[in-house]
Amino acid sequence: MTRTPLSGVACSIARAADLFGDAWTALIMRDVLLGIRRFDELAQDLGLSRKTLAARLARLVEEGVVTRERYQASPPREEYVATEKGRELYPVLLALMAWGDKWYAEPAGPPARVRHDACGHLATPLVTCDACREPLTVAGTTQLPGPGGRVGPGTLLLGPLIAARGGEGGPGPAPGRPSTPG
């Protein structure tokens, strides 16, 4: 089955999903970010075919999410290291993990926990407002048009819906919206 490329859709979620829309890519990044960086170790940990792993890693390198770094000269061997762009995926993976822990954890509990090293506490990742630090929820946010927005494939209905909201998204609640997050 041929995938429809999403890179031309005027939506940041679509563009990110174009690269990370399959489970293997997210799991490869999870492993790389947590310290499994060599091809053979990635293949062993994930149980993934070498062909599929090579293709996903090549795309991650092409997109600047990981780089290949030599760790042995003879014979030449390389490992995959997350770039700044790749390291910035960590909060995204943590948010996905928190959602999975809430809705799909086994009765014994989640398969892994996250410790915040600065305070030493076990943490549940949250997506929060960078201004007030309150959690962002679907009921407490409004999507507004951005400078790169346009109507086209992938945004035929959503584009006009968001555009009709107008506004610059400054401080305070939108007209007709409660001031407290939902």
Side-chain angles (χ1 to χ4, degrees):
M1 178 166 69
T2 305
R3 283 187 51 224
T4 301
L6 301 174
S7 58
V9 176
C11 172
S12 297
I13 295 171
R15 292 174 182 161
D18 192 52
L19 178 60
F20 293 97
D22 76 280
W24 291 125
T25 303
L27 293 175
I28 290 166
M29 284 309 301
R30 174 204 66 189
D31 278 12
V32 168
L33 289 166
L34 296 180
I36 300 174
R37 298 185 177 116
R38 296 178 182 175
F39 187 92
D40 289 338
E41 292 172 345
L42 288 164
Q44 178 184 357
D45 187 56
L46 297 170
L48 183 58
S49 78
R50 297 176 73 77
K51 180 180 176 181
T52 300
L53 178 58
R56 298 304 188 280
L57 285 168
R59 177 90 191 275
L60 290 168
V61 169
E62 177 185 319
E63 293 289 335
V65 177
V66 297
T67 60
R68 294 172 63 160
E69 293 184 6
R70 175 108 359 126
Y71 69 88
Q72 179 177 308
S74 182
R77 297 197 188 273
E78 297 176 324
E79 62 184 4
Y80 295 88
V81 177
T83 62
E84 179 183 359
K85 185 177 181 181
R87 289 187 303 275
E88 287 186 7
L89 278 168
Y90 188 63
V92 175
L93 294 175
L94 286 180
L96 188 58
M97 180 181 133
W99 184 83
D101 287 349
K102 179 175 182 174
W103 295 104
Y104 293 104
E106 306 234 342
R113 299 298 311 259
V114 175
R115 182 186 64 228
H116 183 220
D117 292 338
C119 70
H121 288 94
L122 293 178
T124 299
L126 293 175
V127 177
T128 62
C129 173
D130 63 335
C132 71
R133 303 292 183 223
E134 288 292 319
L136 296 176
T137 65
V138 69
T141 59
T142 300
Q143 294 287 317
L144 299 172
R150 67 180 185 281
V151 175
T155 59
L156 290 174
L157 300 178
L158 187 61
L161 176 69
I162 292 173
R165 295 177 182 154
E168 293 296 315
R177 296 289 304 257
S179 61
T180 57

